[in-house]
Amino acid sequence: MITITCKETLFTYSLYHIVKAFFPKSEIEQKVDPEQEPLVTLRLDEDSCFSIAEKDVVEMGDAEECRQERKKWVTGLVYQYLTRMTGHFQAWGMLTGVRPTKLAMQKLEEKMPPHEVIQYLINEFGVSEEKADLATGIALREHALLKKLDCRDGFSLYVGIPFCPSICSYCSFSSSPADVWAGKMDAYLDALCLEIEAIGKMAADKKLNTIYIGGGTPTTLSAAQLDRLLSKIEQTFSRKFLLEYTVEAGRPDSITREKLEVIRKYPVTRISINPQTMQQKTLDLVGRKHTVQQVKDAFHAAREMGFDNINMDLIAGLPGETAADMRDTLRQIRALKPDSLTVHSLAIKRAARMNREEHGESISTEISRMVEDSAGMAKLLGLTPYYLYRQKNIAGNFENVGYAKVDKAGIYNILIMEEKQTILAAGAGATTKLVLPGKVRLKNGKETNLIRIENVKDITEYISRIGEMIERKGEVLWH
């Protein structure tokens, strides 16, 4: 048992994840004790105890800047101690957040030259040269793409379909088995269409730049239901400023030619067909009820119908898989030639069934090679890294990277990471992110330019309380 005791709650999140990165299999207990003398105490065992006193911490600037500087300083001291003690360096250094490219983006916006941004990440946060170069390169490409958007008067639309053919053992997203909810899907669509219509009225004088229909798996809807949804969006929003329209087809066992034909009726520019792996033994193990051949059949059918921007998702570190399995998966993906590829390092979240079933120990120790091989294959396909994010409890302390052809990068993916434009979200569990032109002070005293408006996750609650979901947005949007 490793114990972290902090005098302030400010440090708990970052310190927990720093320690977890060095000791991924250890149980970690966190405590907040306002009465203790040191600011932070870290006890690894009976013989190893490290503490940080108030006098060890730099304070500077205004209140919020001072808080962030204190947090950074304490995190750095703990990181340096663990590095000395274990002899190991973390690829992302002391960074614990999910959006490391935001730091690079901020410096680029301040006109810092790219080579200096790389050194900044290395010197200030202990990031490896390889990861600093990756983050800065992605930030440069994001920066160029974001210039095409109207981030002040533009917005994006997210529509959530919280149903899947089956629930994968590593998943903790807000998704439910389609067969259980089959009788309520029309009622869900009734509520969803009401919310979409309300959003259309609220955003009537704004410019819609991207649409993303995700989940869950949108293609768990029947062809008729999918047609109804896409038709409602078509009737509600202008396409004058639309740059991208994504439908996440996702699970191959939910894709039919009829559904693909429905999607083709509308101005959808991008779809995803996500195998996660091309190893049948793994698909069976994690609860994905489709075959490798179904992946190939769905992909070829989409190509035959004229879809020219198809993304595929893979996961590195699925239980029982080796680097050789990943290489075989990559070989099969290379033959399909997708237009973009997203490679995730497996994150076992607390709510995921795999975590409860204690499969965590079977995560491949070869994950580093899997990630490297994926990057190499993406390069052979002419795909360039264009967005990056990290997750809590991510295997091997790695990252998720999206690769794409030059003109096929997913704009919405960049927006969700960089938080530069308002995203209006409809559906159970969907979160609207309102980006303000300037900072406002919240009730807790924190200053921010990002306001979140969350819909309830429970599907039945969402249906019965749709009026409340709409009213929540109306009270905040554009005021």
Side-chain angles (χ1 to χ4, degrees), residues 75 108 151 158 161 180 328 344 395 428:
T75 303
L108 291 172
C151 289
Y158 174 82
I161 306 299
V180 174
D328 182 66
H344 303 266

Side-chain angles (χ1 to χ4, degrees), residues 253-268:
D253 46 334
S254 70
I255 301 170
T256 65
R257 294 189 73 90
E258 186 182 9
K259 292 177 187 179
L260 290 173
E261 286 168 356
V262 167
I263 296 172
R264 284 297 288 165
K265 284 173 53 180
Y266 297 92
V268 174

Side-chain angles (χ1 to χ4, degrees), residues 291-404:
T291 65
V292 171
Q293 189 58 48
Q294 281 178 298
V295 175
K296 296 176 181 179
D297 291 344
F299 189 93
H300 291 312
R303 280 287 197 235
E304 289 167 12
M305 291 184 188
F307 288 96
D308 63 358
N309 191 353
I310 304 177
N311 173 73
M312 303 190 87
D313 279 11
L314 297 178
I315 298 179
L318 286 170
E321 287 209 352
T322 64
D325 290 322
M326 176 60 98
R327 283 193 293 274
D328 182 66
T329 289
L330 294 170
R331 176 187 60 78
Q332 296 183 63
I333 295 298
R334 185 182 178 187
L336 294 173
K337 298 180 181 178
D339 305 284
S340 62
L341 179 73
T342 307
V343 181
H344 303 266
S345 296
L346 182 67
I348 309 280
K349 298 184 181 180
R350 291 183 179 88
R353 178 160 56 89
M354 182 183 291
N355 195 34
R356 295 200 301 270
E357 293 176 355
E358 298 181 354
H359 281 296
E361 291 298 317
S362 65
I363 295 174
S364 175
T365 56
E366 297 177 294
I367 191 170
S368 178
R369 275 183 280 175
M370 293 181 180
V371 171
E372 291 174 6
D373 289 342
S374 299
M377 195 277 292
K379 189 174 182 179
L380 289 173
L381 283 171
L383 310 180
T384 305
Y386 78 93
Y387 92 111
L388 177 154
Y389 70 102
R390 302 173 71 215
Q391 291 169 267
K392 300 175 187 177
N393 306 320
I394 199 163
N397 199 30
F398 286 97
E399 65 283 328
N400 305 320
V401 180
Y403 302 88

Side-chain angles (χ1 to χ4, degrees), residues 10-22 68 71-72 75-76 78-79 90 92-100 103 125 127 389-394 397-398:
L10 173 67
F11 312 114
T12 55
Y13 175 89
S14 58
L15 294 189
Y16 173 87
H17 288 286
I18 283 291
V19 175
K20 195 69 176 175
F22 282 93
Q68 295 308 313
K71 181 179 176 181
K72 176 183 169 185
T75 303
V78 171
Y79 176 74
Q90 298 295 326
W92 286 102
M94 54 184 274
L95 293 183
T96 56
V98 299
R99 299 178 177 88
L103 287 169
F125 301 98
V127 178
Y389 70 102
R390 302 173 71 215
Q391 291 169 267
K392 300 175 187 177
N393 306 320
I394 199 163
N397 199 30
F398 286 97

